[in-house]
């Protein structure tokens, strides 16, 4: 109960500030104690508790009294009226009716600004107010403007117009960007997301879309760059350097795939590409590591410096920690331990000496394999 997020971890409540009603509610709901017992214990520990503890706290009440509907501070001020917009957002996020939400607030000692009919909120609102548009937490933050990409993605996923989405979010109390709202179609949510996965982070309409984003989107969605550019232009984005259709390579989708299997999940554009991924992609596409690195650099990724080491099929197994050809990858900055060499030898049917030789050829430093084991595979 002393932790600010009621999770037994730092940060802690401050003794020189009054304990908020929202904290009493959250602590009571999470610890399955009465709010009165929570208040009494905090007073005994030297905290200033002025709020009147509610008699009836139920599981889930901590969500209602948090500004962001996540059960954490900041808490709704108990001295201010609860807005109709917060009631509607809470109803959507908790899958309750506005009447149920208002009844809980009344039981907790809060006052409502305006009574709302149950028809004021519907099941479809839940998807609109979720950040990932999946009707689940985390939720949009009421104190931040809704991003343009969220409007596009919500329209594309819910088969509404962007204007309808914007009007509904406005009614729920959200601030919207001052931009023209285009028609959106299924699949547009992928194009306006930085990772081409239909989730935030979203492309900013104020910034030009890079050629490498168009190429990534074309490879992942299996559409031509001209189609991608056409949709982004229709959505109001600027593309000063749209690439030609010939700029997409057949193997791009393999290189962009985190598991080198031409499928989601995709490499993160804001993280450096690991050397093991380069090796695995080279082995799968029959390219050199240097060619893979160069192509990923064109596609907007940060890649490590590489030499011209030859890669053969099967090397992807050796450079993966689990010897399965998938991440987590071995780091070339660390010495490969003997036990990895022995596991890889057993799994691939090679001798430890052969495994150690391949890893050395790829640029890894290998711990010494005992001579008596170098010729054994099991």
């Amino acid at each position: 109960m002393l932790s600010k997020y009621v999770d037994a971890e730092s940060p802690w409540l401050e003794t020189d500030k009054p304990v908020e009603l929202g904290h009493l509610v959250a602590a009571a709901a999470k610890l399955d104690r009465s709010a009165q017992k929570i208040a009494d214990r905090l007073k005994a520990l030297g905290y200033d508790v002025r709020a009147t503890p509610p008699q009836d706290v139920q599981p889930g009440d901590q969500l209602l009294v948090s500004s962001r509907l996540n059960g954490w501070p900041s808490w709704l001020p108990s001295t201010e009226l609860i807005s109709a917009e917060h009631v509607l957002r809470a109803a959507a996020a908790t899958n309750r009716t506005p009447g149920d939400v208002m009844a809980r607030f009344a039981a907790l000692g809060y006052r409502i600004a305006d009574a709302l009919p149950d028809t004021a909120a519907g099941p479809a609102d839940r998807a609109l107010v979720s950040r990932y548009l999946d009707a689940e937490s985390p939720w949009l933050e009421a104190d931040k403007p809704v991003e343009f990409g969220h409007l596009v993605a919500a329209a594309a996923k819910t088969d509404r117009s962007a204007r309808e989405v914007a009007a509904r979010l406005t009614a729920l109390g959200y601030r919207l960007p001052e931009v023209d709202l285009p028609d959106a179609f299924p699949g547009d949510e992928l194009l306006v997301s930085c990772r081409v996965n239909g989730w935030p982070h979203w492309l900013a309409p104020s910034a030009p879309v890079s050629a490498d984003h168009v190429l990534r989107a074309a490879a992942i969605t299996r559409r031509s760059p001209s189609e991608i550019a056409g949709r982004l232009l229709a959505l109001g984005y600027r593309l000063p350097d749209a690439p030609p259709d010939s700029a997409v390579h057949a193997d791009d989708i393999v290189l962009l795939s985190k598991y080198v299997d031409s499928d989601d999940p995709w490499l993160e554009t804001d993280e450096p590409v690991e050397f093991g991924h380069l090796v695995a992609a080279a082995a799968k596409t029959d390219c050199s590591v240097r060619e893979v690195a160069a192509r990923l650099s064109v596609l907007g990724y940060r890649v490590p410096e590489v030499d011209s080491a030859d890669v053969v099929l099967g090397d992807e197994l050796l450079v993966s920690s689990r010897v399965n050809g998938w991440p987590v990858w071995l780091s070339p900055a660390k010495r490969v331990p003997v036990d990895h060499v022995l596991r890889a030898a057993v799994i691939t049917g090679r001798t430890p000496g052969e495994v150690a030789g391949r890893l050395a050829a790829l640029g890894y430093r290998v711990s010494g394999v005992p001579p008596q084991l170098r010729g054994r595979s099991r």
Side-chain angles (χ1 to χ4, degrees), residues 92-93 125-140:
D125 291 337
R126 188 174 171 86
L128 296 186
V129 302
S130 71
R131 278 193 70 197
Y132 291 91
L133 298 162
D134 57 359
E136 298 290 343
S137 175
W139 311 105
L140 293 176

Side-chain angles (χ1 to χ4, degrees), residues 228-242:
I228 301 298
R231 281 307 305 148
L232 288 170
L233 287 169
L235 292 169
Y237 289 91
R238 293 177 293 121
L239 289 86
D241 299 307

